[in-house]
Amino acid sequence: MTHRIALIPGDGIGIPVTQDAMQVVTASGADVQTVTFPWSCDHYLQHGVMMPDDGIETLRGFDAIFLGAVGWPARVPDSVSLHGLLLPIRKAFVQYANIRPHRLLEGVEGPLKTRDFDILCIRENTEGEYSGAGGRVHVGTPDEVAVETAIFTRAGVERILRFGFEQARARRGLLASVTKSNAQRHTMVFWDQITDELAAEYPDVQVTRYHIDAMCARMVMAPESLDVVVASNLFGDILTDLGAAIQGGLGFAASANIDPTRSGPSMFEPVHGSAPDIADKGIANPMAAFWSAAMMLDHLGQTAPAARIMAAMEATTARGIGTQPGRDTTDAITAAVLAQLKD
């Protein structure tokens, strides 16, 4: 079955890593057809919007979306670019599970003493602290007030936790639920309560509750003790950047924005951002984009090409290529992975 993929290269290094990721996808033997959309900060500067009014409906006809990166704060405020493209896509297609794998590829040296960890972080992706509810009054005066309200629904919390339980059941049977319920006694106690309710349905999964600060420490001091980690939008955002750091840096940080019901397309993206400071230097590490592409193919059921991409990446890093930021060019890393796929 041929899957139709919407490509949104976006800004900065998103453009070259998306191009290279699609070369790798083709070389893996995956059966895909791609259409590229130029939605980006440049598009905003030309048209006043990050994507057209019918952008969501256009994307609805695809099997998956691959996003390179979005943002160029010197040209367009991040609050505009983020709320004009990435967040609307996540919310419109109910991509409520943000999935980020954290482990060291062969040959990559992380900052920790141990290599023995394989963590799957699952972040609630559509509500919580990033719901956008709030506002400002008396703007520009000494009495100015800003309010940001976190929205947690039973449906939203239950579905992300249930997704986490299912992932834990398929892995090592360990689930870590992350809150700050000692300080946030309404939303986070609510989260803990639903965790306990669902745990009764999954007696084969060992559940441990952590506060966000304790989890940050554990990811550094004892990452091998963790399997599946589930957190709210904000806490998941923090933990996954920490996860990227311990796996060797943002150049290896892949992600999937998933609608587990498959009622609409899911979106896959490296999370390194557009990195305007190195956008024209040709030194962006495309590994995160390749890993995200492999996650996309796996989600679409093209498991053999996905496995080939991951094996080619591991064989490349095992040779020391693409393991250190800025040492190898984007083209050199891509060429090495393509060569492995041809062997």
Side-chain angles (χ1 to χ4, degrees):
M1 178 181 176
T2 301
H3 290 104
R4 297 182 70 240
I5 311 300
L7 302 182
I8 308 176
D11 301 298
I13 64 171
I15 297 171
V17 301
T18 297
Q19 293 172 343
D20 289 1
M22 291 309 107
Q23 288 189 64
V24 167
V25 166
T26 299
S28 74
D31 190 1
V32 300
Q33 180 186 65
T34 63
V35 178
T36 301
F37 297 94
W39 304 338
S40 61
C41 287
D42 280 343
H43 187 275
Y44 178 85
L45 292 173
Q46 294 174 29
H47 304 284
V49 290
M50 290 296 295
M51 64 177 170
D53 291 341
D54 63 350
I56 294 298
E57 288 309 307
T58 299
L59 294 174
R60 196 178 298 278
F62 288 84
D63 297 303
I65 303 161
F66 191 90
L67 175 68
V70 61
W72 201 291
R75 301 176 183 173
V76 178
D78 283 341
S79 58
V80 172
S81 59
L82 184 66
H83 287 272
L85 186 61
L86 180 61
L87 293 185
I89 292 172
R90 286 177 176 174
K91 292 178 180 180
F93 297 121
V94 200
Q95 297 168 351
Y96 65 82
N98 182 268
I99 305 171
R100 302 191 190 183
H102 302 299
R103 65 179 180 85
L104 285 168
L105 297 179
E106 188 67 31
V108 177
E109 294 294 331
L112 303 184
K113 295 178 180 178
T114 181
R115 297 186 55 86
D116 186 23
F117 62 88
D118 183 356
I119 304 170
L120 188 68
C121 275
I122 299 174
R123 164 189 171 188
E124 200 290 315
N125 212 30
T126 57
E127 55 176 48
E129 304 90 345
Y130 293 177
S131 297
R136 294 166 65 179
V137 296
H138 309 305
V139 177
T141 75
D143 298 319
E144 184 170 358
V145 177
V147 176
E148 194 87 31
T149 303
I151 304 295
F152 288 83
T153 66
R154 175 169 284 275
V157 175
E158 182 173 326
R159 69 188 179 186
I160 194 64
L161 283 167
R162 189 176 295 280
F163 183 79
F165 273 104
E166 294 292 341
Q167 295 300 306
R169 174 175 276 175
R171 286 168 53 98
R172 291 189 285 129
L174 303 175
L175 179 78
S177 177
V178 182
T179 67
K180 188 62 176 171
S181 51
N182 59 338
Q184 295 175 290
R185 59 181 184 174
H186 301 299
T187 57
M188 295 289 95
V189 170
F190 179 59
W191 181 291
D192 283 347
Q193 176 188 332
I194 296 174
T195 301
D196 292 344
E197 291 173 3
L198 289 178
E201 300 181 29
Y202 295 88
D204 52 327
V205 176
Q206 180 181 331
V207 183
T208 306
R209 289 199 222 147
Y210 295 93
H211 292 150
I212 177 63
D213 40 359
M215 175 55 70
C216 288
R218 179 164 288 272
M219 285 182 69
V220 173
M221 301 300 294
E224 70 282 354
S225 69
L226 300 169
D227 182 19
V228 175
V229 176
V230 185
S232 67
N233 215 331
L234 173 62
F235 292 166
D237 195 1
I238 294 168
L239 290 174
T240 50
D241 272 10
L242 178 55
I246 66 173
Q247 73 180 121
L250 286 171
F252 302 100
S255 79
N257 301 279
I258 299 294
D259 167 19
T261 71
R262 298 178 184 262
S263 60
S266 292
M267 179 167 59
F268 302 81
E269 55 169 326
V271 297
H272 47 51
S274 59
D277 57 324
I278 62 168
D280 299 319
K281 296 182 179 180
I283 58 172
N285 189 340
M287 287 294 190
F290 300 166
W291 200 333
S292 299
M295 294 175 73
M296 176 180 70
L297 294 176
D298 191 64
H299 175 76
L300 294 173
Q302 298 198 39
T303 55
R308 284 194 285 272
I309 291 174
M310 293 305 302
M313 290 170 56
E314 294 256 22
T316 297
T317 55
R319 295 170 53 206
I321 301 173
T323 59
Q324 296 183 20
R327 188 182 65 183
D328 300 303
T329 66
T330 308
D331 289 346
I333 298 169
T334 301
V337 173
L338 290 172
Q340 291 293 334
L341 284 167
K342 291 176 183 177
D343 287 347

